[in-house]
Amino acid sequence: MAASIIDVARRAEVSTATVSRALRGLPNVSEATRERVLRAAEELQYSISPHASSLASGRTGTVGVVLPFVNRWFYSQVVAGIDSVLRANDHDLLLYNLGDERVHERFFARMPLRRRVDALIVLNLPLSAAECEALVSMEVPVAVLGTRIPGCWHVSIDNAEGASTAVRHLINLGHRRIGMITGALGDPRGFTTPIVRQHAYRTVLAQAGIPYDPDLEAPGYFGIEEGASAMAQLLSLPDPPTAVFAESDQMAFGALRTLNRMGLRAPGDVSVIGFDNHETAELLDLTTIAQPVAHQGELLARQILDALSGASEEPTRVVVPTRLVVRGTTGAARVARSPHRHPSPRPGPEPDQHDRTTAR
């Protein structure tokens, strides 16, 4: 007959609760006691049942991840980072997509993850004060990417510094007519990332004594197609930009496609810089602001595991640095340039090559 947890407790001369805590690596068990329990379990060839462990501890072994978009590259990379750490530590991941406004409202009305998860990770989700309180009221550890919630663990990048670095790079190359392809400005859900990056763009221009021109901002909504349309809008101006900062690499990919279809080149005609360091950025030789996307997910998962184990009782905040990666799509501004002179098309990739490259 297989040994039970009671047999292990008797041999180690401890309670069954102590056996359970020791075998699951939980705190408040001395090292001497933990070693005694492990030795007894090994001698009796006992292995803890995940189901029994869950019943005894009241834990599910599952971490919930709530996010606004499940099909966007950035979020898929963050989730991949979270999942890699959780799986390595025998935890499951339960994904909850709040991409639709009605789903968002229903989630906070019903709180469907209550008692189904041991902890919660929230990814760049705009939240009201009441919604923040609802998450905290679940009485489980909560880690947040981007938006800060009092009493919760937090991971972010410095969006303002990253965007400022991008714009300063273009100014240092001699550009003064600098366009921007923005993210989701005006979105009723209130995403803050595009607003912060836009503000940094305007601030750096002002610091350099460059007048702000609202015509040089075009919406790209963090998509390739939308980025392509935004670049076409900027190039249609009577005095188009000599350089463009796109708030994401995917919008920059669309911008490069538009340049290619118009017979223009980066940086010869227009310099282009993105944000993210998407895996395709190097292939397209895109200058960008790199952020370790999957690593942010790993950090969130580690914060949660530390909170669950008791290793981190007070919420911590981690700000992950960004860095400028200079490649071939940015270069010095031309001293003399006619804004209306577009060169004849040159041999190059077929129009849809960028689409095929970035398909996932």
Side-chain angles (χ1 to χ4, degrees), residues 70-336:
V70 73
N71 59 346
R72 290 191 178 181
W73 173 85
F74 175 86
Y75 293 99
S76 68
Q77 292 296 301
V78 175
V79 170
I82 294 170
D83 186 54
S84 66
V85 173
L86 292 183
R87 279 190 294 106
N89 289 273
D90 298 321
H91 280 69
D92 295 324
L93 180 153
L94 178 60
L95 203 62
Y96 211 94
N97 179 22
L98 304 188
D100 182 89
E101 186 174 352
R102 288 176 299 177
V103 175
H104 183 116
E105 293 175 355
R106 188 164 62 249
F107 175 88
F108 284 97
R110 296 170 48 209
M111 298 302 289
L113 296 184
R114 192 184 299 274
R115 292 184 296 277
R116 295 179 62 190
V117 298
D118 298 331
L120 197 62
I121 298 176
V122 182
L123 305 183
N124 276 345
L125 194 66
L127 299 170
S128 67
E131 290 169 344
C132 291
E133 290 179 7
L135 292 177
V136 174
S137 73
M138 289 180 63
E139 297 183 346
V140 298
V142 178
V144 185
L145 180 67
T147 308
R148 295 191 67 182
I149 300 178
C152 298
W153 283 256
H154 177 81
V155 173
S156 68
I157 63 168
D158 189 334
N159 278 290
E161 180 57 31
S164 298
T165 298
V167 180
R168 282 196 293 264
H169 171 65
L170 298 175
I171 292 173
N172 290 339
L173 290 171
H175 295 281
R176 293 297 180 270
R177 188 78 176 153
I178 300 172
M180 181 180 188
I181 300 178
T182 63
L185 296 178
D187 190 297
R189 287 169 292 186
F191 290 97
T192 59
T193 295
I195 297 173
V196 172
R197 294 179 186 178
Q198 179 201 53
H199 179 72
Y201 158 80
R202 295 179 180 179
T203 299
V204 173
L205 291 182
Q207 291 171 345
I210 300 174
Y212 168 67
D213 184 348
D215 290 338
L216 288 176
E217 292 183 7
Y221 304 103
F222 291 105
I224 295 175
E225 292 295 333
E226 296 86 347
S229 297
M231 178 59 96
Q233 177 181 328
L234 293 173
L235 292 177
S236 70
L237 295 172
D239 186 12
T242 65
V244 171
F245 165 45
E247 284 192 2
S248 76
D249 283 351
Q250 289 191 297
M251 292 191 293
F253 298 158
L256 292 174
R257 189 184 71 183
T258 292
L259 289 176
N260 177 63
R261 289 181 172 179
M262 295 183 68
L264 302 171
R265 292 291 182 270
D269 299 295
V270 182
S271 285
V272 177
I273 185 171
F275 200 118
D276 285 334
N277 203 27
H278 189 290
E279 57 259 31
T280 308
E282 184 174 9
L283 177 64
L284 299 183
D285 206 22
L286 175 68
T287 296
T288 189
I289 300 297
Q291 61 166 321
V293 182
H295 181 57
Q296 292 173 64
E298 295 169 358
L299 291 173
L300 288 163
R302 290 185 184 124
Q303 285 182 329
I304 284 299
L305 292 176
D306 285 346
L308 289 173
S309 69
S312 175
E313 295 182 1
E314 292 297 323
T316 56
R317 182 189 181 200
V318 178
V319 179
V320 182
T322 59
R323 61 188 175 88
L324 172 65
V325 179
V326 180
R327 297 193 179 102
T329 59
T330 54
R334 292 184 175 182
V335 176

